[in-house]
């Protein structure tokens, strides 16, 4: 006997068998058990040893790959299929009473991932090339082929109903275009509008049906699921379902004219979508240095992570066909504390990894997945911009990192930055009361994305600026783009609040005040100064990569700033941005006219770290009368001149290596500030710039055990030819650089990777690098993929960071 209200297991089984299959598929097929994930310390120092054993031939499953996929599965179920009922996870071959015995049953669906990938230009994705379980990656706006194999008999359109169902998100809806139902009929051509999904029969051979499915160019991007439904025409409501075990990745298509991210120029498409390596430019006011970077957008962890980030965002699945909202969601993730990287701009990186040791985006995303979608320590703006570039390229959006040399950080939206100078000539950071959050950065890097903007006036399509690091620095920020660079150039900030923030970063006026006892509030504005904001905007040039220098740097300042705008026009734009009348005097600005005494701060040419540097301030009396001048350079050098009419004089600051080598950590910047005061007419002058010492470059020698090393002479890489390696064959890379300092380098770490061919690896160097020593380090590796690739290496220590090198490799199959 059983208590009332209870059912035996046999009764429950019978009732379950009598139920119709669920209309929405539950989870995708579960994968086997996964190995335990490695600890963070193991990842950072030891990595996964003996990787060469798994890098040959078709052995594509690494322990870490499995861990990443396990983590991704967990989060996909949590965010993407939360409403699904686990009880509905039935076997496809199950029989249900009430279903006709002669109903058509599906045995297998083959998405022909690798064949379609050639047409969709997605063959480089590791997910597609996984021989054990290839995953389809399709670009929207194109059609793909699939083979549908039935069990007992072949498809007969006179007696069978056959439907392809595609689902996206936790609550698929046909009106919202997150569920697609495609009836398969006898038609041989597409009949629907190009803006809709469509299917046609391409061929039929016995029980194998070849179909072609068209994905519209407005389709939401992300992970789609496919379910095949069958029924007989006599009993159309009684259906069976077959869930395809594979997920389908649908991404943007810059090769399709109907897609919003279409980019017409083939060279630009190759650079900004398909190229796996590049440079992130950084530097001071006049000189920039390209940091080599592996974007790795085709690695098997990047695209799943991009989709995972969208699932964790507040962006609805219906909105994920809009590249504006997709890129904004990726940028805004960090505002909600769910970013991939934790920012850190100090010199102490204990508890995480030094940002200068990252050689690319892949390792960051790997660790992010392995740690359960927890932010990785640490990153800076240039790392975040490079990471954003990788994620966007993986999703099919053209992207590039762009850098402004000398960038304003205006947190109060006044289009001004106030800088205070004490009586000794030093800059008072954060103001006299330490309550001024505005700052002036040596450089700032963001990510540009390419797309059409039908939501904006004509002419505002093209490059759009996004800043994934901006939310870290401003509590007033509500977004990070994308903002049209054309609108930014014109000062049309009314279309987007973000445009005003970007405009401020590149165009703010810097006002300087010196400590003055005669002033009613303690400070007096300088009369004369150079505007140091945004002296140039640079990015890597299309189709060029210079491993030995900066010949691949492109100045794109004209894309972001109207350099021909006059001062009155400039302040008119300022007032418009502030929402006041164009002729209203909102702030008092210094007059940039001619003065009695002319000051010129001469920035030195590039100087290598470890060498002395000289900075000169030239003073010229333009009048016929005598002038008395008090001048200072960075509080280190002070001079007083009595200049007769037309006379010139100079003030020089010289720094030896022993005076600055303790401050070479991070980027190796020193700030130079020069001030001048004329006694007779109260003329005052100020100028400042950030000077960056040139770090040593790392030379790279690569060779296999059969042909030896391809050697280079000197501290620079000499391109004697492109070295060749072979898939599955052990190679040796030797990295060399010279310590330019008179102190030993301690706590040394080394990182290297080969984009798409060898996983990132970080090791600790168990010794010091002696003063002025030429340091050599060798690392063996086994490449796993043929083609042209780029090796990137980086060295960091407690005394010297950011020693990098890169080298192009050709890997034979």
């Amino acid at each position: 006997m059983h208590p009332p209200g209870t059912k035996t297991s046999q009764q429950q089984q019978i009732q379950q068998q009598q139920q119709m299959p669920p209309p929405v598929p539950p989870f995708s097929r579960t994968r086997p058990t996964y190995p335990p994930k490695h600890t963070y310390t193991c990842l950072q120092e030891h990595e996964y040893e003996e990787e060469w054993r798994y890098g040959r031939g078709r052995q594509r499953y690494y322990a870490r790959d499995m861990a990443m996929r396990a983590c991704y599965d967990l989060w996909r179920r949590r965010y993407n299929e939360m409403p699904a009922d686990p009880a509905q996870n039935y076997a496809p071959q199950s029989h249900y009473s009430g279903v006709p015995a002669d109903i058509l049953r599906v045995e297998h669906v083959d998405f022909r991932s690798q064949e379609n990938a050639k047409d969709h230009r997605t063959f480089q994705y590791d997910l597609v090339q996984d021989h054990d379980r290839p995953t389809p990656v399709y670009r929207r706006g194109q059609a793909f082929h699939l083979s549908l194999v039935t069990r007992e008999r072949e498809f007969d359109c006179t007696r069978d109903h056959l439907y392809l169902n595609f689902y996206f998100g936790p609550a698929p809806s046909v009106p919202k275009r997150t569920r697609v139902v495609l009836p398969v009929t006898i038609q041989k051509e597409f009949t629907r509008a190009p803006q809709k999904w469509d299917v046609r029969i391409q061929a039929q051979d016995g029980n194998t049906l070849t179909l072609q499915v068209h994905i519209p160019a407005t389709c939401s991007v992300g992970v789609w699921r496919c379910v095949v439904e069958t029924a007989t025409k006599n009993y159309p409501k009684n259906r069976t379902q077959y869930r395809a075990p594979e997920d389908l990745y649908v991404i943007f298509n810059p090769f399709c004219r109907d897609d919003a991210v279409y980019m017409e120029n083939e060279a630009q498409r190759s650079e900004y979508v398909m190229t796996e390596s590049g440079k992130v430019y950084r530097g001071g006011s006049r000189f920039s240095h390209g940091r080599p970077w592996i974007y790795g957008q085709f690695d098997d962890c990047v695209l799943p992570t991009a989709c995972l980030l969208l699932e964790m965002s507040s962006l609805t699945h219906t909105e994920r066909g809009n590249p504006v909202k997709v890129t904004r969601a990726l940028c805004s993730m960090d505002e909600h504390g769910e970013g991939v990287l934790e920012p850190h701009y100090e010199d102490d990186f204990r508890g995480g990894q030094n940002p200068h040791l990252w050689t690319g985006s892949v390792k960051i995303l790997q660790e992010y997945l392995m740690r359960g979608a927890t932010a990785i320590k640490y990153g800076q703006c240039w790392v975040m911009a490079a990471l954003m570039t990788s994620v966007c390229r993986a999703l099919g959006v053209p992207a590039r990192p762009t850098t402004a040399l000398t960038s304003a950080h205006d947190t109060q939206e006044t289009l001004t930055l106030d800088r205070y100078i004490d009586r000794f000539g030093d800059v008072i950071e954060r103001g006299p009361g330490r309550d001024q959050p505005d700052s002036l950065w040596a450089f700032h890097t963001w990510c540009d994305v390419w797309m059409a903007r039908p939501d904006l006036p004509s002419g505002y399509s093209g490059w759009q600026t996004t800043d994934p690091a901006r939310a870290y620095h401003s509590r007033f920020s509500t977004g990070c783009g994308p903002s049209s660079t054309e609108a930014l150039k014109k000062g049309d900030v009314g279309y987007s609040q973000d445009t005003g923030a970007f405009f401020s970063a590149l165009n703010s006026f810097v006002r300087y005040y010196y400590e003055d006892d005669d002033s009613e509030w303690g400070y007096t504005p300088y009369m004369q100064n150079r505007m140091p904001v945004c002296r140039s905007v640079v990015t890597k040039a299309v189709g060029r990569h210079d491993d030995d220098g900066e010949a691949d740097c492109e100045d794109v300042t004209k894309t972001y700033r109207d350099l021909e705008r006059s001062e009155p026009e400039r302040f008119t734009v300022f007032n418009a941005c502030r929402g006041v009348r164009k002729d209203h005097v909102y702030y008092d600005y210094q007059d940039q006219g001619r003065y009695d005494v002319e000051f010129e701060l001469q920035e030195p040419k590039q100087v290598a770290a470890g060498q002395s540097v000289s900075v000169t301030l030239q003073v010229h009396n333009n009048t016929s009368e005598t002038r008395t001048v008090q001048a200072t350079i960075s509080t280190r050098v002070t001079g007083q001149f009595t200049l007769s009419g037309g006379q010139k004089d100079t003030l020089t600051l010289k720094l030896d290596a022993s005076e600055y080598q303790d401050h070479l950590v991070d980027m190796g910047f020193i700030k130079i500030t020069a001030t001048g005061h004329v006694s007779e007419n109260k003329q005052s002058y100020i100028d400042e710039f950030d000077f960056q010492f040139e770090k040593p470059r790392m030379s790279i020698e690569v060779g296999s055990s059969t042909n030896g090393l391809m050697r280079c002479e000197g501290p620079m890489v000499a391109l004697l030819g492109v070295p060749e390696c072979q898939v599955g064959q052990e190679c040796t890379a030797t990295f060399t650089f010279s310590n330019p300092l008179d102190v030993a380098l301690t706590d040394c770490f080394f990182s290297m990777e080969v984009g798409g061919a060898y996983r990132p690896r970080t090791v600790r160097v168990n010794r010091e690098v002696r003063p002025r020593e030429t340091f050599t380090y060798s690392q063996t590796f086994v490449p796993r993929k043929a083609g042209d690739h780029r090796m990137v290496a980086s060295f960091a220590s407690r005394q010297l960071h950011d020693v990098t090198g890169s080298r192009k490799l050709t890997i034979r199959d």
Side-chain angles (χ1 to χ4, degrees), residues 488-490 503 507 531 534 557-571 573:
L488 175 61
K489 178 179 179 179
K490 294 180 178 179
F503 183 86
N507 297 275
M531 190 195 73
C534 190
T557 309
K558 293 182 179 179
T559 304
Y560 300 87
R561 299 186 61 203
D562 187 354
L563 302 179
E564 299 179 358
R565 183 180 292 142
S566 65
E567 288 296 304
E569 292 174 336
R570 178 166 167 245
F571 294 125
V573 174

Side-chain angles (χ1 to χ4, degrees), residues 278-306:
K279 282 186 177 181
V280 185
Y281 269 88
R282 309 164 306 169
S285 56
R286 295 186 183 178
F287 305 106
S288 58
H289 168 66
R291 175 63 151 79
W293 191 265
I294 302 295
Y295 297 113
Q297 65 267 35
F298 303 122
D299 193 275
D300 57 5
C301 74
V302 180
L303 182 55
T305 306

Side-chain angles (χ1 to χ4, degrees), residues 416 509 511 513 525 571 585-591:
T416 60
F509 197 96
R511 303 180 301 179
Y513 299 89
F571 294 125
V585 179
Y586 196 79
Y587 284 116
D588 292 328
Y589 298 98
Q590 293 90 338
D591 183 10

Side-chain angles (χ1 to χ4, degrees), residues 668-730:
F669 283 109
I670 60 171
K671 182 174 288 295
I672 303 296
T673 305
T675 60
H677 295 270
V678 181
S679 301
E680 287 78 7
N681 59 3
K682 302 300 181 182
Q683 177 188 344
S684 55
Y685 159 86
I686 186 171
D687 192 11
E688 67 172 314
F689 62 81
D690 293 291
F691 179 77
Q692 185 180 32
F693 288 94
E694 187 176 15
K695 303 291 182 67
R697 293 183 186 270
M698 185 184 296
S699 67
I700 302 177
E701 304 171 357
V702 180
S704 66
S705 57
T706 57
N707 58 15
L709 294 177
M710 175 161 285
R711 302 195 174 275
C712 310
E713 298 296 336
M716 305 287 287
V717 179
L719 291 182
L720 305 178
V722 179
E724 290 190 353
C725 298
Q726 187 169 350
V727 172
Q729 186 178 91
E730 186 175 277

Side-chain angles (χ1 to χ4, degrees), residues 3-22:
T6 64
K7 298 179 182 179
T8 65
S9 59
Q10 184 177 5
Q11 289 174 329
Q12 291 176 344
Q13 185 176 4
I14 294 174
Q15 183 175 351
Q16 184 177 1
Q17 290 178 348
Q18 290 176 348
Q19 293 176 352
M20 287 295 296

Side-chain angles (χ1 to χ4, degrees), residues 48-81:
Y48 292 85
E49 297 180 358
E50 299 181 351
E51 180 179 346
W52 61 273
R53 295 184 180 180
Y54 305 98
R56 295 174 293 184
R58 297 187 174 184
Q59 300 181 24
R60 297 284 297 114
Y61 279 110
Y62 301 102
R64 57 176 155 191
D65 294 339
M66 301 293 285
M68 286 187 295
R69 294 187 180 190
C71 177
Y72 170 64
D73 282 350
L74 170 67
W75 284 92
R76 181 173 54 81
R77 287 194 294 268
R78 176 177 175 181
Y79 287 93
N80 189 44
E81 298 174 325

